[in-house]
Amino acid sequence: MAVEATTLIIFGGTGDLARRKLLPALFQLGCKGRLPDNLRIVGFARQQRSDDGYRDLMGESVREFGSLAPHADEWTDFAKNLFYLPGDLDVPGDYANLQSRLKELEEGQEPANRLFYLSVAPRFFEAAIANLGSSGLAGEPGLGRIEHGWRRAVIEKPFGRDLDSARTLNDAVGRVFDESQVYRIDHYLGKETVQNLLVFRFSNTIFEPLWNRNYVDNIQITAAEEVSVEDRAGYYDNSGVVRDMVQNHLLQLLTMVAMEPPNAMDANSLRNHKIEVLRAIRRWEPADATQNTVLGQYKGYLEERGVASGSSTPTFAALRLYVDNWRWQGVPFYLRTGKSMAEKVTEIVIQFKRPPHMMFSVADADDLSPNSLALCLQPDEGVHLRFGVKIPDQGMIMDSKDMSFHYDSAFKDQDIPEAYERLLQDALEGDASLFIRSDHIEQAWRIVEHLLENQSGVSNPQPEQYDPGSWGPESSDRLLAENGHRWLGVCGLDQEAHA
Ligand code: BG6
């Protein structure tokens, strides 16, 4: 009887992402028994190495970056399915070598499925895709499951650097693969707590009726990082915060908070509803972009190694967006993200409206916050619901307190897996729900296009300096103050109270 086999080919197989994330995640999946039977992993990169040399390198990586030190037996078992082929993505002959190596490994096994993972710098994407097509490795265009097994491609971010380049790349991908074969990555979608947004919203009847402009005053999405650009300045200085975090991760979070309930969890229902949100985001004229955005650069950025002299690349962004539909008309969505900020925290705060009339006194007016629901995505994964309570033994004086849920105490024996575990497993199983469709990518670029430099006729706001270890430039507070709001956080606590 024929034996089905699957090969995962990692282009950039010795690179940082492969070593830090992909191999540790694959090893974890292997230990949990979640990889397909007969899975082989072939690393493809320029370095000269043997299969054994690759196994050694990946063994070190899993020990260094994995969450568990590999047990010797488990590692031996896993490593025997690791292979390596030196090759250059720009050289067509190297794809012919890959084809022969794969045929050799797949000998006697059918169907033989192949997942190509482009874990390489974006400048290689187009050539690699075109060569996969011309070498025959990608199979027949338009067929997800060809006679001899399926072919899929996972493409890492960033997907384009603006709308035009994303379109060009989508066209190049479309000439070789059918959309159903393409898995564009946003690793935020692989995060357990990001997926929980769907469960939280659509499995609890008590929140959904309030989830609209009648009860919600504003929504705040923060992805703050304590780290600076570190040794990634070469990449970062060319990208900036809008490309690095806003166009992808933050807009993904926004769509999941704002989307209508899909009727099923399949890839297209989910992705269609998310796209509807992006389409409804109010388009900016260049002048509106300036008024609704604050861009910042942390002090000391210009001294980082690899940053161009006098660079105006922003390392912080705060945005005010509106979703023009029935559910969200008039509700500001505030997004902020940056490097070298006070803390590493990713959270979404839904701030509800104030009571129409307040009968009670408060001990300290600053302590009175309207109800808020904070979904803390990382690092202290959980949920905080803030409400008013009577202070005991003090007449009818009230205060605001939090009711909290934490993953680590509620699920003591279950670790939160790395995002890449889920994404790799889904790509191997053919579930594209947590991957980005071509139309989503293009819509997301449209939303931020006025914030990118070199757009014709656009004068971008110059980044404002902020202190490392702060919550960004002062104008970010003013952006909210214009609407009578202020940043809430961290995870439901007031920032000042938290300091
Ligand atoms: C990446 C960005 O996509 O996301 C990085 O390129 C950023 O600059 C990272 O640090 C943040 O991811 P996480 O999972 O740590 O929030």
Side-chain angles (χ1 to χ4, degrees):
M1 210 180 79
V3 186
E4 181 162 351
T6 303
T7 309
L8 164 60
I9 302 100
I10 306 180
F11 290 148
T14 54
D16 225 40
L17 182 72
R19 294 195 310 112
R20 285 172 186 270
K21 299 285 182 192
L22 304 184
L23 263 294
L26 286 162
F27 178 64
Q28 280 293 323
L29 286 172
C31 295
K32 292 178 184 171
R34 294 187 187 163
L35 291 176
D37 292 340
N38 293 323
L39 174 79
R40 292 188 198 86
I41 300 164
V42 176
F44 182 97
R46 272 189 294 217
Q47 287 181 10
Q48 289 299 325
R49 281 183 182 272
S50 61
D51 289 340
D52 280 339
Y54 191 57
R55 289 172 188 143
D56 291 345
L57 180 72
M58 291 303 128
E60 279 165 30
S61 308
V62 169
R63 272 190 294 279
E64 191 175 346
F65 303 115
S67 48
L68 285 180
H71 189 282
D73 292 349
E74 282 172 336
W75 176 252
T76 314
D77 209 38
F78 179 83
K80 68 176 192 290
N81 292 314
L82 280 179
F83 301 90
Y84 186 74
L85 184 71
D88 189 326
L89 288 175
D90 287 332
V91 177
D94 288 353
Y95 293 79
N97 295 343
L98 179 59
Q99 180 74 289
S100 337
R101 186 78 201 271
L102 292 179
K103 287 238 157 87
E104 202 180 286
L105 292 170
E106 291 161 349
E107 173 101 52
Q109 301 185 331
E110 233 181 38
N113 308 311
R114 295 175 186 170
L115 176 64
F116 299 98
Y117 198 121
L118 271 70
S119 166
V120 289
R123 66 177 183 281
F124 295 112
F125 289 170
E126 265 191 71
I129 298 278
N131 282 324
L132 280 173
S134 55
S135 62
L137 277 159
E140 300 288 318
L143 291 176
R145 194 178 173 90
I146 64 166
E147 202 189 337
H148 301 297
W150 49 253
R151 303 287 180 265
R152 294 181 194 137
V154 177
I155 306 179
E156 264 296 333
K157 70 161 269 240
F159 197 93
R161 16 185 313 109
D162 51 22
L163 180 57
D164 284 348
S165 55
R167 274 195 186 133
T168 308
L169 186 53
N170 270 335
D171 290 346
V173 171
R175 282 194 285 276
V176 175
F177 291 103
D178 182 77
E179 181 60 31
S180 63
Q181 296 173 276
V182 184
Y183 292 69
R184 295 177 194 76
I185 290 249
D186 181 321
H187 80 277
Y188 266 50
L189 295 180
K191 288 182 190 285
E192 199 69 36
T193 46
V194 173
Q195 292 156 38
N196 182 50
L197 287 172
L198 296 176
V199 176
F200 187 85
R201 281 196 58 197
F202 304 129
S203 72
N204 293 303
T205 51
I206 60 171
F207 297 112
E208 196 51 25
L210 309 179
W211 213 265
N212 57 53
R213 69 193 169 88
N214 297 324
Y215 296 96
V216 174
D217 190 62
N218 69 88
I219 293 184
Q220 306 184 5
I221 302 180
T222 296
E225 292 190 89
E226 212 176 331
V227 292
S228 65
V229 294
E230 298 177 303
D231 53 2
R232 295 169 73 225
Y235 146 77
Y236 195 91
D237 201 41
N238 262 310
S239 299
V241 68
V242 177
R243 293 188 173 90
D244 191 52
M245 294 290 292
V246 179
Q247 185 271 349
N248 38 55
H249 309 323
L250 265 70
L251 287 180
Q252 280 293 345
L253 297 180
L254 188 156
T255 58
M256 292 179 83
V257 172
M259 71 194 275
E260 294 302 316
N263 63 349
M265 266 300 291
D266 63 272
N268 275 336
S269 307
L270 214 58
R271 298 190 295 180
N272 289 344
H273 282 77
K274 283 161 74 174
I275 281 267
E276 284 303 312
V277 176
L278 292 184
R279 288 211 181 98
I281 292 181
R282 195 175 299 167
R283 293 288 177 264
W284 282 328
E285 293 303 322
D288 303 331
T290 318
Q291 272 171 19
N292 289 288
T293 314
V294 174
L295 296 179
Q297 188 185 72
Y298 65 82
K299 292 179 189 158
Y301 175 74
L302 295 177
E303 281 83 62
E304 301 274 15
R305 208 150 59 93
V307 169
S309 119
S311 165
S312 59
T313 298
T315 61
F316 171 95
L319 284 73
R320 177 174 48 214
L321 296 173
Y322 289 94
V323 179
D324 286 333
N325 60 18
W326 270 57
R327 189 188 277 262
W328 295 119
Q329 190 56 240
V331 177
F333 283 73
Y334 302 112
L335 274 50
R336 74 174 160 173
T337 178
K339 298 274 184 201
S340 274
M341 290 180 65
E343 263 186 62
K344 165 89 178 165
V345 62
T346 310
E347 68 172 357
I348 299 171
V349 183
I350 318 291
Q351 183 167 17
F352 294 94
K353 294 197 168 171
R354 289 179 184 278
H357 170 65
M358 182 50 80
M359 301 178 294
F360 311 112
S361 343
V362 279
D364 178 348
D366 282 348
D367 283 349
L368 179 62
S369 334
N371 293 126
S372 66
L373 179 72
L375 301 155
C376 187
L377 307 182
Q378 59 184 13
D380 180 14
E381 294 86 356
V383 180
H384 301 250
L385 181 62
R386 172 158 278 217
F387 50 85
V389 287
K390 179 183 174 307
I391 302 177
D393 201 20
Q394 302 239 344
M396 292 306 274
I397 299 181
M398 62 163 289
D399 196 358
S400 296
K401 292 288 172 211
D402 273 6
M403 194 156 72
S404 309
F405 153 81
H406 294 273
Y407 267 86
D408 63 354
S409 49
F411 297 102
K412 281 201 184 71
D413 303 329
Q414 272 157 296
D415 288 335
I416 295 194
E418 272 285 324
Y420 277 94
E421 273 188 45
R422 173 70 195 258
L423 296 175
L424 281 160
Q425 188 180 347
D426 283 1
L428 285 163
E429 288 175 0
D431 181 353
S433 314
L434 301 177
F435 294 85
I436 313 165
R437 219 167 51 186
S438 57
D439 47 350
H440 183 119
I441 289 271
E442 293 183 15
Q443 283 293 338
W445 280 119
R446 268 193 202 103
I447 291 162
V448 298
E449 66 180 335
H450 290 317
L451 295 179
L452 303 174
E453 77 286 2
N454 304 328
Q455 299 286 323
S456 53
V458 177
S459 75
N460 291 301
Q462 278 305 302
E464 191 180 319
Q465 301 271 296
Y466 62 96
D467 289 321
S470 69
W471 286 99
E474 281 171 17
S475 303
S476 147
D477 295 334
R478 282 202 289 274
L479 185 73
L480 273 68
E482 284 168 12
N483 297 53
H485 297 140
R486 63 180 170 149
W487 289 108
L488 300 164
V490 168
C491 287
L493 298 178
D494 186 82
Q495 251 169 54
E496 283 150 33
H498 190 76

